[in-house]
Amino acid sequence: MKKILLKGGEVVSAEGSMIADVFFEDGKIVEVGESLNPENCEVIDCEGKIVMPGAIDVHVHFRCPGGEQKEDWSHASAAAASGGVTTVFDMPNNTPEIVDLESFAVKKEIIEGRSHVNYGIYMGYNGKNSDEINNAKNIPGVKIYCAHSTGNMGVEGEFLEKVFKEIDPGIKLLFHSEDEDCIQGNLEKLKAEGRELTPSDHSKIRGPECALKMTKELCQLAKKHERPIHICHVSTEAEAEEISKYSELVTCEVAPHHLTLSVDDYQKWGNYIKMNPPVRDSKDLFGLWKALKFGQIDLIATDHAPHTREEKEKPYPEAPSGVPGVEMMLPILLNAVSAEGLSLEEVCKLVCEKPAELFNIKDKGRIEKGYDADIVVIDMDLEKKFEDKDVKSKCGWSPYSGGLYQGWPIMTYVNGLLVYKEGEVAPRYVGKEVSFS
Ligand code: DOR
Ligand code: ZN
């Protein structure tokens, strides 16, 4: 296999940055240091560029099996690679749902040899499949939907507590935290008004109080059972504050769309920004940035959940929830760095080091000797408008289209191989299933 030397870039870690050369061979980082000069290697001039570990997105919906009209691994993993994401963990709300060892094996077979980036596959909890989950091998965790979302996998009440009792302690519990009764109550109230529901009603139906109610309940359960949990896509400042009171036990993620879109954007985007949990008001949007700066948010994950334009063009009640995001997570964060809202070190912590550490992913998330050569080279001077024509996800649209962003991935290496360079994805599938240590 080719030996590669990335020469003279600014190598980033959460602790700091330094100008250094990075040498890798056979998919592994061999050495990081000054003036390296190994023999017979391809030398890539990285002067003036940022060299960062590939981003790890622990929350994506790549839709296979069952949603191939919306997305598939070829498109979605190309989108990931072009956005500097080198590892993704895929959610279980497929058709069929990934709730037993058989559906898990089928899904694994679908992905094998068809991904440009590395991956892990979650299982889902349906209230009666603890044994299947406990017998699964090499899963990043189990997803529990406390309310119905795409796929209607919601479990409630006594089933929720059963998770804590029945799932083996070594398996990470990840929650979609919204309260179904609260949502249904709000829906009834709005329906009673007798008018047609529109996209912006989504943020009222699935109101902030429904998310906070469930997050409080989950934090209490974590404490009662002394069991760590992870809360997905936190969308309100109040939840971030609540979770921070339980920081020993409860970790959380925020999605890029909750940091960039608000209820003010329904007018432009309508159902295209219908997602669960929904966009909030600008106070929460800024509150989440504050929480991020205060270290209350452990990581950023995209909840990449594409749907076709045709589906999104349906009337509000029928239009599915979810937005694509995997290719824009890093550009959005890099743009925040350009605007001096974040540092590169913070970005590296939020999307590389912390995900690797929290999920115990083997040999990922750092540019250090012995780690996998999953690396993204970034041009912080590159300013580019993102358009639908740039979208690599199969859905072909993005809520970020039309935006100007400064700071872009220009090269992405996965397992030591170049998979993305300046707009083009190499036609080879080098992604492997990750391991957990
Ligand atoms: O908006 C969402 N879309 N939230 C979810 O929980 C699921 C996701 C999807 O799969 O479409
Ligand atoms: Zn999701």
Side-chain angles (χ1 to χ4, degrees):
M1 202 188 247
K2 248 210 274 188
K3 304 175 183 181
I4 294 173
L5 182 69
L6 302 180
K7 195 120 194 84
E10 185 180 334
V11 180
V12 180
S13 75
E15 292 80 41
S17 310
M18 60 172 182
I19 304 293
D21 302 341
V22 181
F23 173 51
F24 50 91
E25 180 180 6
D26 290 337
K28 287 278 180 190
I29 297 169
V30 179
E31 207 175 349
V32 182
E34 274 176 57
S35 310
L36 302 184
N37 197 14
E39 284 177 0
N40 305 325
C41 64
E42 185 185 352
V43 180
I44 312 285
D45 178 13
C46 290
E47 216 186 300
K49 306 289 185 288
I50 304 299
V51 177
M52 208 170 85
I56 298 168
D57 185 353
V58 303
H59 191 150
V60 302
H61 301 260
F62 282 4
R63 302 295 189 213
C64 303
E68 292 82 356
Q69 78 281 13
K70 304 171 197 268
E71 188 65 288
D72 58 34
W73 276 78
S74 171
H75 285 85
S77 67
S82 72
V85 172
T86 53
T87 296
V88 295
F89 290 170
D90 195 63
M91 286 294 169
N93 58 338
N94 300 110
T95 316
E97 297 162 352
I98 311 307
V99 289
D100 53 33
L101 297 177
E102 198 191 326
S103 52
F104 181 79
V106 169
K107 178 162 174 175
K108 195 165 148 169
E109 199 151 302
I110 291 172
I111 302 169
E112 243 159 33
R114 291 188 182 88
S115 179
H116 295 288
V117 300
N118 299 312
Y119 53 88
I121 307 166
Y122 290 109
M123 283 191 70
Y125 178 71
N126 65 6
K128 44 185 192 255
N129 62 340
S130 304
D131 286 345
E132 297 281 329
I133 292 165
N134 290 339
N135 285 317
K137 300 262 176 324
N138 209 44
I139 54 172
V142 55
K143 177 75 178 286
I144 303 110
Y145 287 86
C146 304
H148 290 311
S149 188
T150 309
N152 291 336
M153 288 182 78
V155 287
E156 295 170 72
E158 63 187 283
F159 288 110
L160 215 49
E161 186 147 16
K162 261 175 66 166
V163 179
F164 289 82
K165 293 179 183 154
E166 292 179 1
I167 306 289
D168 283 349
I171 299 176
K172 189 172 268 308
L173 306 178
L174 297 97
F175 290 90
H176 178 119
S177 177
E178 289 181 285
D179 185 277
E180 185 66 35
D181 290 340
C182 175
I183 294 169
Q184 291 308 323
N186 289 343
L187 179 61
E188 288 315 311
K189 263 186 249 159
L190 273 188
K191 275 186 175 166
E193 288 179 12
R195 63 176 173 84
E196 202 179 311
L197 297 179
T198 65
S200 65
D201 289 322
H202 197 61
S203 292
K204 297 178 191 138
I205 295 166
R206 303 183 81 110
E209 70 285 1
C210 300
L212 182 60
K213 181 164 183 250
M214 185 48 72
T215 291
K216 280 187 172 168
E217 192 176 328
L218 290 170
C219 288
Q220 289 293 333
L221 282 170
K223 194 172 159 201
K224 178 175 168 192
H225 294 274
E226 284 179 31
R227 167 141 198 183
I229 60 168
H230 181 77
I231 299 192
C232 298
H233 39 51
V234 164
S235 58
T236 63
E237 185 179 12
E239 284 174 281
E241 262 164 31
E242 183 68 17
I243 291 166
S244 70
K245 297 179 201 156
Y246 300 81
S247 57
E248 316 259 282
L249 281 177
V250 186
T251 56
C252 70
E253 72 194 36
V254 166
H257 47 256
H258 290 126
L259 291 167
T260 49
L261 297 164
S262 76
V263 290
D264 303 332
D265 295 299
Y266 277 122
Q267 202 179 2
K268 175 173 179 200
W269 289 102
N271 287 328
Y272 283 91
I273 59 162
K274 179 183 180 188
M275 85 264 308
N276 303 331
V279 290
R280 306 297 186 190
D281 63 19
S282 54
K283 197 168 162 290
D284 265 320
L285 190 152
F286 290 117
L288 288 177
W289 279 104
K290 215 164 75 191
L292 204 65
K293 291 300 285 184
F294 286 162
Q296 292 176 339
I297 307 298
D298 295 277
L299 55 98
I300 311 269
T302 65
D303 198 9
H304 175 83
H307 297 282
T308 64
R309 284 176 191 280
E310 199 186 351
E311 291 165 322
K312 285 292 197 181
E313 292 289 346
K314 289 181 179 176
Y316 163 72
E318 288 115 73
S321 296
V323 289
V326 73
E327 59 199 290
M328 285 303 288
M329 171 171 74
L330 210 44
I332 286 168
L333 296 175
L334 296 173
N335 192 59
V337 172
S338 302
E340 296 178 4
L342 278 179
S343 67
L344 280 168
E345 288 76 15
E346 284 171 310
V347 173
C348 184
K349 187 171 178 187
L350 288 164
V351 298
C352 310
E353 292 191 15
K354 213 54 198 287
E357 186 190 307
L358 262 183
F359 285 79
N360 294 313
I361 315 172
K362 197 165 171 282
D363 298 341
K364 305 255 180 239
R366 288 175 173 271
I367 299 184
E368 278 173 26
K369 185 180 167 148
Y371 277 72
D372 293 339
D374 293 344
I375 296 172
V376 54
V377 180
I378 291 162
D379 183 350
M380 285 305 292
D381 296 324
L382 182 61
E383 197 177 36
K384 213 168 61 177
K385 200 170 183 180
F386 186 65
E387 312 265 24
D388 279 353
K389 67 172 172 43
D390 303 315
V391 173
K392 291 198 162 51
S393 166
K394 194 173 178 182
C395 71
W397 63 272
S398 164
Y400 308 112
S401 286
L404 189 65
Y405 298 86
Q406 186 180 346
W408 286 88
I410 51 170
M411 280 186 265
T412 307
Y413 290 88
V414 177
N415 301 323
L417 296 165
L418 185 66
V419 292
Y420 171 79
K421 188 177 179 190
E422 292 161 2
E424 298 299 320
V425 177
R428 56 182 175 190
Y429 298 115
V430 302
K432 294 182 193 157
E433 190 181 11
V434 302
S435 305
F436 302 94
S437 48

